[in-house]
């Protein structure tokens, strides 16, 4: 992937170490495999299915193989299967939500191939809601028609279960659960696998012909998030340290409606609830969305999220309310069983009570930069799913396009890894050629305290509303925090979150305009003349960060 690049305004970075832990290839235990897949969400599983007939596959999962964002997906999968819908419509809706920064070819491919990928899921036994023989389609924000296939509000669980059965039962596939990938191993700039800590705490080197990173998103970098605990941006951070370019990091999607109750997690209240007619009310009981966008509650997420924060500010209250009380308990319990039951556990009957909601970090549009075939800028390393930046989402993802992206580009990553490893040059490397890690300064510090400081700073200064001054303050704070603090999972996650936070803040400071999910108080307008471009960040050999911009569409 070579493109002309224009360096702009490089800002002095904090030092980014190449490896988080000291290790020596002469002594570390080695495991060899053909394919290494880091992550067992929908993207990683779909990728592993593409390679498992062609060699030994190791799939890593930080917790159990079911745990990850995929499992919690509620609304569903956007796909052109409804009568009257067309590929062009879905493409146009995606491009429009992406606010000028989508790569049109990636969108076209995702939408068209997505139909085959969802059909495949159905053929493998996925039970999505039907009306007789016909699939039911949900409505979500910024879609012009109903096109979201779902299983109640537990679409992710259904998808994950089908893929786990299908992918992990293969005799060539070994799942290493509760195993943490710490860093990618490279030799002469080529990815050769990863350094991981096993369930027993042993540090091992998995040497692979091809490595696919599918480690999900980074929601945990923010103080409030809809994401599960595993979403700490590890895949982005380790790829960046290994020399892979990351792109569009400034674009972080904040979901408008997560549960806001003392003692409750920021449980997602699906956009599909608004798709079924729920209204947003401020604390005075007034509907407000018409003042912000003619699509009202079904405007794109960035618009709804900002409107909610404005209303909270205007009324001086810490949340707004989502009201679906015009629907019967019977309908709600059937259509949204998890939401119905979870709210009930916290004392809310959603057919009678409006639900207190607030915004929370939800999805990473940016990530490890890939071309249309999931190649990263590091040979031997492929990326797919939320960890990747295919540019299919641009500056703001259209609702329910993420599972679709994971299935489509997960498959592509598998195909590319297969092609790569069948090349002669990709035979298992002479492991002695792998570099020994230089000594890494490890500070014994309190990971949870550092994490709290970091995530609060990110929430306050690099959140929905941004400004040069606060972005600089955030960068100063981050640069004062240690870059590596030890070998436990908490310590590794903290180091990854700190690095990802810094990459988001740097890109957000650089983009002197507002577009999609990136809103600058000091630059409230969209500036197409200057900023119809993607920002890429790469680690330099000396540990610094190189920032470049390139014309919209990365492939
Ligand atoms: P994940 O499913 O998050 O899987 C990541 C995997 O990587 C996990 O197995 C994890 O253990 C592993 N991992 C991470 N770090 C490491 C490491 N260091 N070492 C080893 N393993 C590691 N999208 C939609 O399209 N429709 C929806 O309805 C929808 N609803 C959502 C609801 C919620 C609450 C959330 C949080 C997200 C939702 N999304 C939805 C977004 C979508 O679910 C995710 O973007 C998508 O599932 C990501 O899939 P993935 O395979 O890339 O990552
Ligand atoms: C939701 O159900 O609101 C989440 C859908 C998504 O993130 O795409």
């Amino acid at each position: 992937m070579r493109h002309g690049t224009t360096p702009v305004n490089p800002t002095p970075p904090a030092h980014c170490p190449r490896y988080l832990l000291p290790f020596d290839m002469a002594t570390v235990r080695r495991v060899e495999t053909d394919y290494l897949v880091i992550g067992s969400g929908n993207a990683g599983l779909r990728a592993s299915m593409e390679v498992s007939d062609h060699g030994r596959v190791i799939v890593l999962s930080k917790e159990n193989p079911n745990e990850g964002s995929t499992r919690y997906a509620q609304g569903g999968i956007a796909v052109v299967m409804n009568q009257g819908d067309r590929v062009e419509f879905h493409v146009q809706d995606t491009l429009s939500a992406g606010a000028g920064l989508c790569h049109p070819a990636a969108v076209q491919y995702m939408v068209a191939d997505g139909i085959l990928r969802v059909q495949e899921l159905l053929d493998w036994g996925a039970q999505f809601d039907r009306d007789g023989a016909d699939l039911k389609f949900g409505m979500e924000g910024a879609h012009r028609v109903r096109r979201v296939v779902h299983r109640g509000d537990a679409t992710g669980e259904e998808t994950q279960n089908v893929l786990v059965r299908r992918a992990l039962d293969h005799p060539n596939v070994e799942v290493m659960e509760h195993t943490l990938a710490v860093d990618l191993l490279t030799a002469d700039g080529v990815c050769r696998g990863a350094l991981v800590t096993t369930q027993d705490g042993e540090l091992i080197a998995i040497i692979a012909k091809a490595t696919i990173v599918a480690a999900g998103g980074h929601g945990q970098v923010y103080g409030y998030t809809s994401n599960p605990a595993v979403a700490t941006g590890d895949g982005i951070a380790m790829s960046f340290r290994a020399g892979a370019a990351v792109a569009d990091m400034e674009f972080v999607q904040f979901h408008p409606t997560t549960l806001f109750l003392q003692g409750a997690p920021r449980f997602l209240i699906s956009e599909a609830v608004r798709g079924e007619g729920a209204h947003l009310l401020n604390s005075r009981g007034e509907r407000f969305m018409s003042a912000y966008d003619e699509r009202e509650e079904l405007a794109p997420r960035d618009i709804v999220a900002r409107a909610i924060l404005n209303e909270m500010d205007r009324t001086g209250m810490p949340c707004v309310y989502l009201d679906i009380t015009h629907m019967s308990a019977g309908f709600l319990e059937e259509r949204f069983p998890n939401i119905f039951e979870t709210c009930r556990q916290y004392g809310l009957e959603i057919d009678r009570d409006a639900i207190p909601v607030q915004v929370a970090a939800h999805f990473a549009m940016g990530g490890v930069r890939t071309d249309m075939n999931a190649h990263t800028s590091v040979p031997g390393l492929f990326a797919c799913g939320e960890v990747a930046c295919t540019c299919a989402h641009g500056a703001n993802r259209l609702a329910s396009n993420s599972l679709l992206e994971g299935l489509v580009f997960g498959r592509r990553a598998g195909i590319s890894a297969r092609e790569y490893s069948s090349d002669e040059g990709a035979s298992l490397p002479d492991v002695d050629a792998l570099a020994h890690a230089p000594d890494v300064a490890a500070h014994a510090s309190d990971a949870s305290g550092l994490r709290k400081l970091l995530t609060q700073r990110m929430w306050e200064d690099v959140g929905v509303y941004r400004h040069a001054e606060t972005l600089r303050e955030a960068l100063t704070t981050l640069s004062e925090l240690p870059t590596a603090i030890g070998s436990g999972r908490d310590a590794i996650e903290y180091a990854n979150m700190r690095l990802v936070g810094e990459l988001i803040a740097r890109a957000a400071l650089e983009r002197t305009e507002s577009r999609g999910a990136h809103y600058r108080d000091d630059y409230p307008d969209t500036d197409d003349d200057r900023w119809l471009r993607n920002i890429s960040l790469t680690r330099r050999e000396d540990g610094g960060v190189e920032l470049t911009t390139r014309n919209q569409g990365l492939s």
Side-chain angles (χ1 to χ4, degrees):
M1 262 196 341
R2 289 220 174 273
H3 312 262
T5 54
T6 320
V8 286
N9 222 12
T11 347
H15 180 71
C16 171
R18 166 64 187 91
Y19 290 102
L20 287 184
L21 295 177
F23 69 100
D24 185 344
M25 281 304 296
T27 54
V28 78
R29 183 162 73 88
R30 300 171 203 161
V31 173
E32 294 193 354
T33 187
D34 295 300
Y35 302 99
L36 173 63
V37 180
I38 302 173
S40 61
N42 78 331
L45 292 175
R46 188 62 192 80
S48 83
M49 287 172 63
E50 226 42 56
V51 291
S52 52
D53 281 341
H54 303 269
R56 184 178 176 209
V57 187
I58 292 180
V59 177
L60 301 183
S61 185
K62 198 153 58 162
E63 295 189 1
N64 72 64
N66 277 321
E67 187 59 17
S69 292
T70 300
R71 172 187 164 187
Y72 297 98
Q74 293 186 357
I77 310 178
V79 64
V80 181
M81 285 184 158
N82 200 356
Q83 273 191 348
D85 197 6
R86 291 177 25 194
V87 166
E88 307 87 276
F89 294 164
H90 190 180
V91 168
Q92 283 160 16
D93 291 349
T94 302
L95 293 175
S96 154
L101 279 194
C102 294
H103 184 243
V107 176
Q108 176 73 33
Y109 182 68
M110 174 179 78
V111 169
D113 189 61
I115 301 169
L116 304 178
R117 303 287 71 84
V118 173
Q119 184 56 53
E120 190 175 68
L121 274 185
L122 292 166
D123 295 344
W124 294 336
Q127 301 290 317
F128 294 139
D129 289 0
R130 289 180 183 270
D131 200 353
D134 298 331
L135 285 167
K136 282 188 183 170
F137 297 92
M139 184 67 177
E140 292 187 35
H143 288 275
R144 74 184 68 186
V145 295
R146 286 186 167 263
R147 65 162 70 94
V148 182
V149 295
H150 54 273
R151 172 161 185 166
D153 56 4
T155 314
E157 196 178 329
E158 180 66 7
T159 304
Q160 181 76 12
N161 288 343
V162 167
L163 291 173
V164 161
R165 273 199 306 272
R166 191 89 195 173
L168 301 187
D169 276 354
H170 197 287
N172 284 348
V173 176
E174 179 189 349
V175 189
M176 292 177 69
E177 56 182 42
H178 300 281
T179 297
L180 180 76
V182 177
D183 264 309
L184 297 168
L185 292 164
T186 47
D188 295 331
V190 176
C191 184
R192 300 302 197 180
L195 197 65
V196 314
T197 47
T198 65
Q199 193 157 11
D200 306 327
E202 188 192 5
L203 189 67
I204 62 171
I206 302 181
I207 308 296
K209 289 181 186 167
T211 302
I212 299 173
V213 63
H218 60 48
Q220 289 292 335
V221 168
Y222 284 91
Y224 302 102
T225 179
S226 66
N227 286 194
V230 294
T232 49
D234 301 0
I236 297 174
M238 70 179 82
S239 302
F240 180 81
R241 284 193 296 270
V246 301
D248 287 359
M249 291 299 293
E250 67 275 33
F251 296 114
V252 178
Q253 183 170 78
F254 291 83
H255 199 290
T257 55
T258 59
L259 188 61
F260 183 79
L261 272 182
Q262 193 81 30
R266 283 297 180 90
F267 175 73
L268 190 79
I269 309 294
S270 174
E271 192 153 313
V273 177
R274 277 174 280 137
E276 296 296 348
H279 294 157
L280 282 165
L281 306 174
N282 64 23
S283 58
R284 298 174 190 148
E286 303 156 343
R287 274 188 82 182
F288 55 83
M289 273 313 302
S290 61
Y292 296 90
D293 194 283
E294 60 185 13
R295 290 163 288 186
E296 302 184 333
E297 277 82 358
L298 292 181
R301 283 182 187 168
D302 58 309
I303 295 173
V304 183
R306 285 196 296 275
I308 287 174
L309 292 181
N310 281 353
E311 289 300 307
M312 284 163 43
D313 205 32
R314 217 165 58 82
T315 57
M317 296 302 281
C319 65
V320 298
Y321 295 87
L322 189 66
D323 186 354
I324 185 85
T325 56
H326 62 283
M327 292 300 205
S328 70
F331 170 82
L332 293 171
E333 196 168 7
E334 190 189 332
R335 176 69 180 88
F336 302 114
N338 280 338
I339 295 173
F340 191 88
E341 189 46 40
T342 304
C343 288
R344 175 172 272 177
Q345 279 170 22
Y346 289 100
L348 290 172
E349 299 293 341
I350 66 171
D351 59 317
R352 297 202 297 269
D353 303 316
I355 310 167
V357 290
Q358 239 258 43
V359 305
H362 183 62
F363 182 81
M365 270 73 77
V368 184
R369 198 179 83 196
T370 67
D371 66 8
M372 294 263 300
N373 293 318
H375 296 111
T376 71
S377 57
V378 172
L381 179 66
F382 305 85
C384 55
E386 192 169 339
V387 76
C389 178
T390 58
C391 276
H393 306 305
N396 193 19
R397 175 178 64 98
L398 186 66
S400 288
N401 264 357
S402 174
L403 292 176
L404 191 73
E405 184 199 27
L407 295 169
V408 168
F409 290 101
R411 174 174 168 274
R412 277 305 328 165
I415 294 170
S416 294
R418 209 171 68 203
E419 288 167 358
Y420 175 83
S421 70
S422 64
D423 287 354
E424 245 177 279
S427 56
L428 276 176
D430 171 5
V431 283
D432 292 329
L434 288 167
H436 295 182
D439 274 351
V440 182
H443 306 255
S445 299
D446 163 26
S448 74
L450 289 170
R451 207 166 148 146
K452 200 161 173 206
L453 211 154
L454 165 73
T455 58
Q456 260 173 5
R457 192 46 113 179
M458 289 299 292
W459 181 256
E460 283 162 19
D461 292 345
V462 198
V464 175
Y465 286 101
R466 297 158 175 186
H467 189 284
E469 213 172 295
T470 47
L471 289 169
R472 280 205 189 90
E473 275 169 26
L475 277 169
T476 305
T477 305
L478 294 186
S479 69
E480 288 163 3
L481 297 178
T483 52
I485 58 166
S487 59
R489 174 172 160 184
D490 271 4
I492 299 295
E493 287 183 340
Y494 153 76
N496 289 332
M497 289 162 67
R498 186 211 155 283
L499 173 58
V500 168
E502 181 180 339
L503 296 174
I504 297 170
R506 279 187 189 284
L509 180 61
E510 191 66 28
R511 185 172 286 280
T512 47
E513 64 154 0
S514 292
R515 181 185 298 275
H518 170 71
Y519 191 88
R520 288 278 299 256
D521 282 329
D522 47 349
Y523 292 94
D525 298 325
T526 300
D527 181 354
D528 279 347
D529 288 341
R530 174 146 188 226
W531 277 117
L532 216 45
R533 300 170 76 74
N534 302 89
I535 296 175
S536 287
L537 300 151
T538 320
R539 180 183 177 278
R540 290 196 310 256
E541 282 288 311
D542 66 0
V545 176
E546 177 134 326
L547 187 152
T548 54
T549 70
R550 62 184 62 214
N551 284 335
Q552 169 266 351
L554 292 174
S555 286

